[in-house]
Amino acid sequence: MHTLISLQENLRAMGIAPADTVLLHSSMKKIGPVEGGADTVLDALQDYLTPGLLVLPALNWELVNQRPRIYDVLRTPSIVGILPELFRKRPDVHRSLNPTHSVCAYGADARDFVQGGDADGTPLGLHSPWRKLLERNAWILMVGCDLTSCTFIHGVEEWCEVPHRLTAPMAFDMVLPDGSRRTVHSRAHEGTPSFSFWKVQAGLEQAGLLRILLFGDAPTMVMRARDLFCFVAGALSQNPRLFDYEVKEAE
């Protein structure tokens, strides 16, 4: 049975300092039994990173197909697992404003961190929290999940201007935390490049840029944002179609 203390020891073994910024993608099921369940996992992370910043994705790409497209910053659920959904409802957690690719953050400067990007018109624009992860050289932890779930790589493709990755702009009705409303226009991802993000894992490991350690029972990919950006951007400069989804023809 894992505990708050044992999970914090896992973070320490990864080399993460309490003042660091950490983006965490997660599978609660893979972490295994924890005394106190999912809430203890979040308690362990928030307590350990109190002087730093904890960031979890709060994605909801299903809004693209809804009519009307309403993004309520306080109420629209995250659809990427139990930990992000519990996290967004916690006190002092702040959410960013992109309708489909928001993040939630907790820490001393969380409110400032989530600001910006909604005017970029893209899911992971140059002023978005996703880009700020690169500027801060955040840790990226893939807890019990693989690189096909790594939203940051979508950002690398966007910043490197890989063609045919974004739809035309679409309108969303956004409800802000104070109850006011405004219309925002944002593009969405198209195609399925994330199915091929696994292609860079071996190279990252061989270069010593990706380690696999345990968080609870979950094998966890441990990376730094700048390392991941530089490696993937370099690979895309050689082959912009690296992550194009290849459909096998019927024999």
Side-chain angles (χ1 to χ4, degrees):
M1 180 73 71
H2 305 292
T3 66
L4 182 148
I5 298 301
S6 69
L7 293 174
Q8 291 183 339
E9 289 173 350
N10 292 159
L11 294 172
R12 191 172 294 110
M14 294 173 184
I16 296 170
D20 286 341
T21 296
V22 174
L23 169 69
L24 182 133
H25 288 274
S26 58
S27 167
M28 181 64 204
K29 182 178 180 180
K30 295 289 182 64
I31 294 172
V34 178
E35 184 179 283
D39 280 311
T40 295
V41 175
L42 293 175
D43 289 343
L45 291 161
Q46 289 182 239
D47 177 69
Y48 186 85
L49 291 165
T50 294
L53 187 73
L54 174 63
V55 182
L56 271 69
L59 315 182
N60 193 326
W61 53 83
E62 292 178 351
L63 293 180
V64 168
N65 297 317
Q66 294 181 8
R67 298 293 185 276
R69 301 186 189 99
I70 299 175
Y71 172 47
D72 188 322
V73 177
L74 292 182
R75 295 174 181 83
T76 296
S78 165
I79 59 172
V80 286
I82 184 172
L83 290 177
E85 180 61 3
L86 287 175
F87 183 62
R88 78 167 185 88
K89 298 176 182 178
R90 287 194 153 204
D92 301 317
V93 169
H94 300 275
R95 191 178 194 179
S96 63
L97 300 184
N98 183 270
T100 59
H101 283 71
S102 65
V103 301
C104 287
Y106 172 85
D109 64 342
R111 186 187 298 273
D112 290 337
F113 178 81
V114 301
Q115 298 303 311
D118 50 303
D120 288 340
T122 61
L124 298 93
L126 292 176
H127 302 94
S128 71
W130 296 97
R131 180 72 178 198
K132 294 176 186 178
L133 293 169
L134 174 60
E135 295 165 2
R136 289 169 174 246
N137 198 22
W139 292 95
I140 297 176
L141 305 184
M142 308 299 297
V143 178
C145 47
D146 60 30
L147 290 179
T148 63
S149 300
C150 187
T151 306
F152 184 84
I153 299 179
H154 279 295
V156 180
E157 285 203 305
E158 186 174 319
W159 307 326
C160 291
E161 300 182 349
V162 174
H164 311 303
R165 287 293 187 255
L166 296 171
T167 67
M170 56 189 73
F172 296 84
D173 181 14
M174 183 161 62
V175 183
L176 294 166
D178 64 4
S180 63
R181 304 172 81 107
R182 62 183 172 90
T183 299
V184 295
H185 293 83
S186 181
R187 304 169 82 180
H189 290 140
E190 63 180 356
T192 50
S194 61
F195 290 167
S196 297
F197 287 172
W198 59 268
K199 291 180 179 180
V200 294
Q201 179 177 344
L204 286 163
E205 289 188 84
Q206 291 168 7
L209 305 178
L210 185 157
R211 296 172 293 145
I212 300 179
L213 301 169
L214 288 178
F215 184 76
D217 292 339
T220 299
M221 296 184 184
V222 181
M223 303 165 282
R224 298 301 290 260
R226 288 177 190 162
D227 290 338
L228 182 58
F229 170 80
C230 290
F231 188 91
V232 174
L236 289 171
S237 71
Q238 297 296 316
N239 179 13
R241 302 189 63 180
L242 175 64
F243 298 132
D244 283 7
Y245 184 52
E246 300 171 4
V247 180
K248 292 183 179 180
E249 296 182 2
E251 295 181 359

